[in-house]
Amino acid sequence: MMEAILSGADQLFNLPTMLTMVIGVTAGVIAAAIPGFTITMAIVLTLPLTFTMPPLQGVATMLAVYIGGYTGGMISAALLGIPGTPSAVATTFDAFPMARNGEPGRALAIGIWASFFGTLISSIVLIIAAPPLAMIAVKLGAWEYFSLVIFALTIVASLVGRSMIRGLMAGLMGLLIATVGADPLMGVTRFTFDLRVLSAGIPFLVVLIGIFAVSQLLREVENPEQIKQGKALISSHIEFRPLAALREVVMNPVNLIRSSLVGVFIGAVPGAGGSIANLLAYDQAKRGSRNPEAFGKGSSEGVIASESGNSATSGGGLIPMIALGIPGSAVDAVLMAALMVHGIGVGPRLIMDHADTVYGMFMAMFLAGAMMLLVCLLSMRLFLKVTNVPKSIIVPVVLTCCLVGAFTLNNRVTDIYLLLGIGVFGYLLAKLDYPLAPLVLGVILGPIAETNLRRALMTNEDWTLFFTRPISLVLLTLAALSIILAIRYRLKHRQGTAALE
């Protein structure tokens, strides 16, 4: 073991590898900060560049892009109210209000430190608990996946805003949007109304960019007088105090550790990903907070939870890949491809046959996390200058990035039309006081729930298996408790409001 660690360190700690990792972290941060340009797209573009590198250098570079990307999505979420990646959706809930309240530097600094600690904690768990956690993850069947999604859907109760009815309706709209297009199992088209623009379905990223980005930009240009006056998106002084933010994050240890462990677990579940971890960690933080009413108004607890939760999925996703050869996400599948290109077989014997590479990957996680922290702390003052750019410039630039991102997703012009249409729809929903987060949650989780429900019933028509399989029963029980606690909280909050009146 010590020989493998030393060999991995020798391959990792050299100038070419360190240099490509720094470039990878920087590229990941910038790519993820652009709305519509996902971490997966950045990793796929990086893959061909690693073919000429030694195996560990290539994988370490891709890990650097991966970790940098999870933090980069937070930048546009905080400064523009637009999640740069799907895994930064919950970050917008508090980071953007904090920035709007005149503290964009604080929002970014808290997010950076939370991302760093989330990566650090997930890397430690990866090293210590990879085999046992992977064995748990691999035992999850379609029944457990469906139950996990049902548990995740209970998050809607925390995101409904002031009206439970409007929030639930928004969630149902998201589930409905997810059913448009081809049936995920049989390929039969549905709800397309013979319209060519709907024949391929409505991609999730198009919904995400339209609902959060285009609708937000439309709200920003409502007042033409502000544009004529050259008003910026956020009127504030640029203050970036990383040490004060570090103190704020460290003084919130329960939230930080809990959210990171949620991210590790969700990352270890193949197919779940950072978007679910981001929302689930935020939900658990809100439920466990002494001041839940502050969430959605610029709460530091919300930023810590969402960013540590999504960053921790980077280590969690490597658990099933290293221990069992099963990719935890699309990004992990690309990492597997990179290893196989270099003649390294991925599977249960990976850690035995290529111990130096595996331990080198472990060390690369820590190193990439440290590099991400350094790159972000040094560059955040530059990103903060976005807050002083007039709306007349920032709105068309961001809209152009959104249109390009929607087109490059599938190279379809119809996706641009869908993007604009969904953006207008999201704008109208916001004007009618409908929360947008439940809609996006429905679009994320709808296809996963449908696919696994049908797969489970096709495997065995006995629906009682959802309650007789232990892990599935535990998840459904947690979902029921989550709903009960949400109802109890809303009733208590309503009674408190009535007493004040």
Side-chain angles (χ1 to χ4, degrees):
M1 178 178 173
M2 185 55 66
E3 184 179 344
I5 292 173
L6 292 174
S7 176
D10 181 58
Q11 296 176 56
L12 186 67
F13 292 98
N14 57 69
L15 185 59
T17 304
M18 303 266 290
L19 183 60
T20 55
M21 285 185 69
V22 170
I23 295 172
V25 165
T26 307
V29 170
I30 295 173
I34 301 172
F37 201 95
T38 64
I39 301 171
T40 305
M41 293 167 66
I43 289 285
V44 169
L45 291 175
T46 307
L47 178 60
L49 304 177
T50 65
F51 289 165
T52 57
M53 300 178 186
L56 184 56
Q57 182 183 357
V59 174
T61 302
M62 294 173 72
L63 283 173
V65 176
Y66 190 16
I67 290 171
Y70 270 121
T71 306
M74 173 266 301
I75 296 172
S76 55
L79 300 183
L80 303 175
I82 303 168
T85 62
S87 58
V89 169
T91 307
T92 60
F93 301 160
D94 282 291
F96 188 55
M98 189 182 292
R100 274 286 169 91
N101 293 337
E103 299 180 300
R106 178 174 169 237
L108 290 180
I110 291 173
I112 292 168
W113 283 112
S115 294
F116 170 71
F117 284 115
T119 304
L120 188 67
I121 292 170
S122 73
S123 301
I124 294 171
V125 175
L126 170 65
I127 295 170
I128 296 172
L133 279 177
M135 291 305 296
I136 294 173
V138 81
K139 288 181 180 179
L140 299 182
W143 300 269
E144 287 76 20
Y145 276 110
F146 176 75
S147 300
L148 175 64
V149 173
I150 293 299
F151 176 45
L153 277 170
T154 63
I155 298 171
V156 169
S158 296
L159 306 177
V160 293
R162 288 177 290 181
S163 172
M164 176 73 79
I165 299 299
R166 287 194 180 96
L168 293 177
M169 287 180 66
L172 289 173
M173 289 178 198
L175 292 173
L176 181 62
I177 290 171
T179 62
V180 175
D183 176 345
L185 292 182
M186 302 299 180
V188 179
T189 57
R190 56 195 182 177
F191 303 120
T192 59
F193 306 101
D194 292 328
L195 296 175
R196 185 185 173 193
V197 71
L198 297 176
S199 60
I202 305 177
F204 161 63
L205 275 175
V206 170
V207 176
L208 178 71
I209 300 169
I211 286 293
F212 281 108
V214 177
S215 65
Q216 178 65 35
L217 294 176
L218 287 173
R219 291 197 293 273
E220 295 297 342
V221 297
E222 281 181 337
N223 189 343
E225 288 299 321
Q226 292 183 352
I227 298 174
K228 290 179 181 178
Q229 294 169 7
K231 188 172 181 180
L233 281 175
I234 300 171
S235 299
S236 64
H237 299 290
I238 297 178
E239 289 188 4
F240 184 64
R241 297 186 292 176
L243 293 180
L246 171 61
R247 192 179 305 111
E248 200 166 352
V249 172
V250 172
M251 293 301 290
N252 208 324
V254 175
N255 183 16
L256 180 64
I257 295 172
R258 177 183 57 222
S259 301
S260 298
L261 293 179
V262 167
V264 171
F265 176 74
I266 296 299
V269 176
S275 53
I276 296 178
N278 182 247
L279 288 160
L280 193 57
Y282 182 87
D283 174 68
Q284 295 305 306
K286 184 175 180 180
R287 292 174 190 271
S289 174
R290 295 180 180 178
N291 192 21
E293 62 275 3
F295 279 66
K297 301 174 183 177
S299 169
S300 59
E301 292 180 74
V303 179
I304 293 169
S306 56
E307 279 305 298
S308 59
N310 68 22
S311 293
T313 58
S314 57
L318 292 179
I319 290 172
M321 189 194 87
I322 290 175
L324 300 167
I326 299 171
S329 65
V331 173
D332 298 313
V334 179
L335 290 172
M336 285 177 61
L339 288 170
M340 289 187 282
V341 163
H342 290 286
I344 297 175
V346 180
R349 292 190 57 84
L350 174 63
I351 199 166
M352 291 180 281
D353 297 339
H354 302 280
D356 57 338
T357 301
V358 172
Y359 282 106
M361 290 171 65
F362 291 160
M363 287 184 280
M365 288 286 293
F366 288 103
L367 184 58
M371 288 179 174
M372 176 276 294
L373 179 66
L374 185 64
V375 167
C376 287
L377 291 179
L378 291 176
S379 62
M380 277 307 117
R381 291 188 183 277
L382 181 63
F383 281 111
L384 279 169
K385 292 186 182 296
V386 171
T387 61
N388 292 327
V389 178
K391 290 183 182 181
S392 58
I393 297 175
I394 197 72
V395 169
V397 169
V398 173
L399 182 60
T400 302
C401 290
C402 293
L403 295 175
V404 171
F407 176 75
T408 55
L409 181 63
N410 295 301
N411 292 325
R412 292 197 301 252
V413 177
T414 53
D415 285 349
I416 295 178
Y417 303 145
L418 287 172
L419 173 72
L420 296 173
I422 291 171
V424 173
F425 178 62
Y427 171 75
L428 294 174
L429 286 179
K431 297 299 289 183
L432 294 171
D433 201 25
Y434 279 79
L436 300 180
L439 187 148
V440 174
L441 185 66
V443 175
I444 294 173
L445 299 178
I448 304 173
E450 179 190 3
T451 300
N452 286 289
L453 176 62
R454 293 176 61 183
R455 191 174 290 158
L457 295 177
M458 288 169 67
T459 305
N460 192 321
E461 294 183 357
D462 184 8
W463 60 269
T464 60
L465 287 172
F466 289 103
F467 302 95
T468 56
R469 291 172 68 100
I471 297 176
S472 178
L473 177 61
V474 169
L475 290 169
L476 289 176
T477 303
L478 290 173
L481 288 172
S482 178
I483 293 171
I484 292 169
L485 290 173
I487 294 173
R488 181 185 173 190
Y489 167 75
R490 291 193 72 85
L491 289 174
K492 187 177 178 181
H493 179 69
R494 188 179 297 172
Q495 289 172 357
T497 304
L500 289 173
E501 291 176 353

